[in-house]
Amino acid sequence: MRKLLLLGLFLIGLGWALSNFSGLAAQGTYDSLILDFREDIGAAQIESQVQTIAQKYNVTPRLNSAFSFQDHIFIVKGDRALLKALKKSELKKYTEFIEPDYVYSTFTPPNDPDYGKQWNMRSINVESAWDDTQGEGMTVAVIDTGISQVPDLNETKFVKGYDFVNDQADANDDNGHGTHVAGTIAQSTNNEFGVAGIAYKANLMPLKVLSAGGGGTVADIAESIRFAADNGADVINMSLGGGGESQLMQEAIDYAHEKGVVIVAAAGNAGDNSASYPARYPHVIGVSALGPTGTKAPYSNFGAGVDLSAPGGAKEGEDPTGGILQNTINPETGESVFESYQGTSMAAPHVAGVAALVKAAGVKEPDAIEDVLKQSALQVKDDDLNHYGAGKLDAAAAVKLAARGQITFRDFFRWLRDNGYLNPRFWIDGGVIALWPKLAMVLGSYLLAWFLRNYFPFAWGWTLSTGLVAGSSGLFFLKGFYLFDAPQFPFRLLGSSIPEWGGAVQGTSALNPIFASVLIPLALIALLLGHAQWKWFAIGTTIGVAACLGVSAVMSPSMMWLGDGTIARGFLIVNALLCLALARLVLKPGVQST
């Protein structure tokens, strides 16, 4: 009874999780059904059933194409109700299956009509990042001229802000700069209007420190930083700056950093060989600007204080297409307009938006988020003047790096879907007795796939596969192969894995500690690491040996000179871990062949 109760609770929980998982919420659309008649029934029976369906349900079944006759595949217009009725009718006895004729389509970008004009979004690979997160639950404070809730921010969530210029609660924009910056961060997206934002499910906190003329004081900016930190901001964007170092602002930045806030600032637009303040302060990510061609924009500051580069736009003449397009206000009339701006002010919110995505993906500490942004950036060689900092912002790579090593429900259910494990027939076939082995198989295979994907991101090829076979099992089917009058030694050796070679040579099943260790993988790595193709054989062998030693430690830890007890088992486990560590070391970014 207890097991049945646990089984019921498990199935209820699994069903609830599946129904609430956003990646599975859309079960597909269709307006017709597929009828696949059995191969062993005649044309007369099929014709009879087709006529019965037509008369009873007032529909017209038809062959799908000129190639459908042989397989007896018919299509009929219908919805969920007709699908349910046909599955319960006598028709099911004559068909192999009755199922929806789902409509598939190309994967499309956001439905915002002017998204195609946002070259900046595509240049940072944000669409792939959206597969994992859109910034849910994050709050980005925009310290600027305020934010006006223009139409393309209608679906964006706002939290309490403040106007430090006029000392009031409403932080409305009377310049247009802050609203434009806010749009890059979290413009309402997939709302069939206007353009898109990067972390479009994040909250915006409007903090006005700049007047209608675009100027503001250090005191107001410092107070706004503390306000943001005290009121739940995860990221602060400051598309502003100037000369002169301020202890008050430095203290405010340190305070926000200690409270876990990521702080981003624009490098400045003077073309100088150093970033403006506050971008130059420690604990602030200074951002230089890129033009549409991916090179440093002519106006952008560079050098000291630049940590990353991101799209800022560069319009030539009156051509608006090179700028950053967002919904903002006309400062003279206050009316909503779509305008293309350029500047490091436009570059900084790209980094702030991606920082929100990274934090939503699970990285919490500001220094760790900055490391993720820098490590995932596209590096630029020969950047002696530090035009680009750590490199060009890459949203997809940043989110992928942030999620590495984490086991999330979103990833698990996506893996279930992609591998066909959401088919109810898989779980029903075999009954309750087969359920637990299937569950163990699915969980185990997911954990293995997760481990390999996150810690061994290798590219499969014949050299890698050969190494895996040699290290883990060998051509095991040859071990017992017998050819009249032929020596058995070659077959025994080919049928053994590398850790078993010592025993195969001596004709014993016990493992030789020299072969059953990290020594041979280490030698192969040392010899082949400099070869572009054969290094993968060495890596595959190292992983295969690790697998063989791990299994042997559990199943049959019999070793020459060490016996089959605790010492032998410990020896095998230690060397298996050393092999894994060696493979991981070789696969780490930055370890290159010479």
Side-chain angles (χ1 to χ4, degrees), residues 5-18:
L5 177 61
L6 291 173
L7 176 60
L9 291 173
F10 164 75
L11 293 175
I12 291 171
L14 180 62
W16 178 86
L18 290 173

Side-chain angles (χ1 to χ4, degrees), residues 87-104:
K87 284 187 172 182
K88 290 183 178 181
S89 71
E90 193 174 291
L91 179 66
K92 66 180 181 181
K93 295 190 300 183
Y94 299 94
T95 55
E96 293 184 15
F97 54 79
I98 305 170
E99 66 180 14
D101 190 11
Y102 288 115
V103 177
Y104 283 12

Side-chain angles (χ1 to χ4, degrees), residues 31-35 37 46-65 73-79 82 86 91 101:
D31 59 7
S32 59
L33 310 175
I34 299 173
L35 312 178
F37 285 92
I46 293 177
E47 181 64 25
S48 174
Q49 289 300 314
V50 167
Q51 291 179 2
T52 300
I53 295 170
Q55 294 171 2
K56 185 174 182 179
Y57 299 104
N58 194 28
V59 293
T60 306
R62 60 176 176 80
L63 287 169
N64 183 56
S65 73
I73 297 176
F74 283 75
I75 302 297
V76 59
K77 288 289 183 181
D79 55 13
L82 180 60
L86 291 178
L91 179 66
D101 190 11

Side-chain angles (χ1 to χ4, degrees), residues 265-325:
N269 300 333
D272 291 340
N273 188 11
S274 64
S276 302
Y277 291 102
R280 286 192 63 178
Y281 289 116
H283 306 315
V284 177
I285 302 174
V287 185
S288 64
L290 303 173
T293 61
T295 57
K296 186 188 82 68
Y299 55 79
S300 178
N301 289 354
F302 57 97
V306 170
D307 298 297
L308 280 170
S309 57
K315 295 184 287 184
E316 296 182 3
E318 298 301 321
D319 181 11
T321 59
I324 306 299
L325 179 65

Side-chain angles (χ1 to χ4, degrees), residues 5-358:
L5 177 61
L6 291 173
L7 176 60
L9 291 173
F10 164 75
L11 293 175
I12 291 171
L14 180 62
W16 178 86
L18 290 173
S19 65
N20 284 276
F21 175 58
S22 60
L24 302 174
Q27 295 297 321
T29 59
Y30 60 93
D31 59 7
S32 59
L33 310 175
I34 299 173
L35 312 178
D36 185 8
F37 285 92
R38 286 166 31 203
E39 305 295 328
D40 59 345
I41 63 174
Q45 288 178 301
I46 293 177
E47 181 64 25
S48 174
Q49 289 300 314
V50 167
Q51 291 179 2
T52 300
I53 295 170
Q55 294 171 2
K56 185 174 182 179
Y57 299 104
N58 194 28
V59 293
T60 306
R62 60 176 176 80
L63 287 169
N64 183 56
S65 73
F67 304 96
S68 301
F69 180 78
Q70 185 175 356
D71 292 328
H72 309 313
I73 297 176
F74 283 75
I75 302 297
V76 59
K77 288 289 183 181
D79 55 13
R80 188 179 299 274
L82 180 60
L83 175 65
K84 187 176 181 181
L86 291 178
K87 284 187 172 182
K88 290 183 178 181
S89 71
E90 193 174 291
L91 179 66
K92 66 180 181 181
K93 295 190 300 183
Y94 299 94
T95 55
E96 293 184 15
F97 54 79
I98 305 170
E99 66 180 14
D101 190 11
Y102 288 115
V103 177
Y104 283 12
S105 61
T106 58
F107 292 106
T108 57
N111 60 26
D112 308 77
D114 288 329
Y115 176 73
K117 299 177 182 178
Q118 292 184 286
W119 59 268
N120 50 307
M121 295 295 183
R122 293 184 294 278
S123 72
I124 65 169
N125 296 320
V126 74
E127 290 179 21
S128 296
W130 286 334
D131 291 339
D132 293 291
T133 176
Q134 300 86 43
E136 300 95 326
M138 297 296 104
T139 296
V140 182
V142 179
I143 298 177
D144 212 289
T145 62
I147 304 175
S148 292
Q149 296 191 28
V150 290
D152 211 7
L153 285 173
N154 279 345
E155 295 182 9
T156 302
K157 296 179 181 178
F158 282 75
V159 299
K160 180 182 71 172
Y162 196 79
D163 180 347
F164 288 88
V165 175
N166 302 298
D167 201 21
Q168 60 185 22
D170 292 332
N172 289 322
D173 191 2
D174 51 9
N175 175 282
H177 187 273
T179 304
H180 193 284
V181 166
T184 297
I185 296 169
Q187 196 89 79
S188 300
T189 303
N190 278 320
N191 61 342
E192 298 184 343
F193 180 79
V195 292
I198 293 171
Y200 58 87
K201 290 189 178 179
N203 308 318
L204 289 174
M205 178 187 292
L207 296 171
K208 183 175 176 61
V209 298
L210 304 178
S211 66
T217 66
V218 164
D220 282 346
I221 297 170
E223 285 191 348
S224 70
I225 293 171
R226 288 181 175 271
F227 180 97
D230 289 337
N231 287 273
D234 297 285
V235 181
I236 289 174
N237 184 85
M238 291 187 285
S239 290
L240 48 81
E245 187 174 1
S246 165
Q247 186 174 345
L248 178 66
M249 188 177 293
Q250 177 67 73
E251 289 179 350
I253 289 169
D254 291 343
Y255 176 80
H257 179 267
E258 289 175 4
K259 297 199 75 169
V261 183
V262 180
I263 306 169
V264 181
N269 300 333
D272 291 340
N273 188 11
S274 64
S276 302
Y277 291 102
R280 286 192 63 178
Y281 289 116
H283 306 315
V284 177
I285 302 174
V287 185
S288 64
L290 303 173
T293 61
T295 57
K296 186 188 82 68
Y299 55 79
S300 178
N301 289 354
F302 57 97
V306 170
D307 298 297
L308 280 170
S309 57
K315 295 184 287 184
E316 296 182 3
E318 298 301 321
D319 181 11
T321 59
I324 306 299
L325 179 65
Q326 291 296 344
N327 192 194
T328 184
I329 64 164
N330 183 327
E332 296 180 0
T333 64
E335 294 180 352
S336 168
V337 293
F338 284 89
E339 291 286 352
S340 290
Y341 289 176
Q342 65 176 13
T344 56
S345 286
M346 284 58 258
H350 287 80
V351 175
V354 175
L357 297 180
V358 168

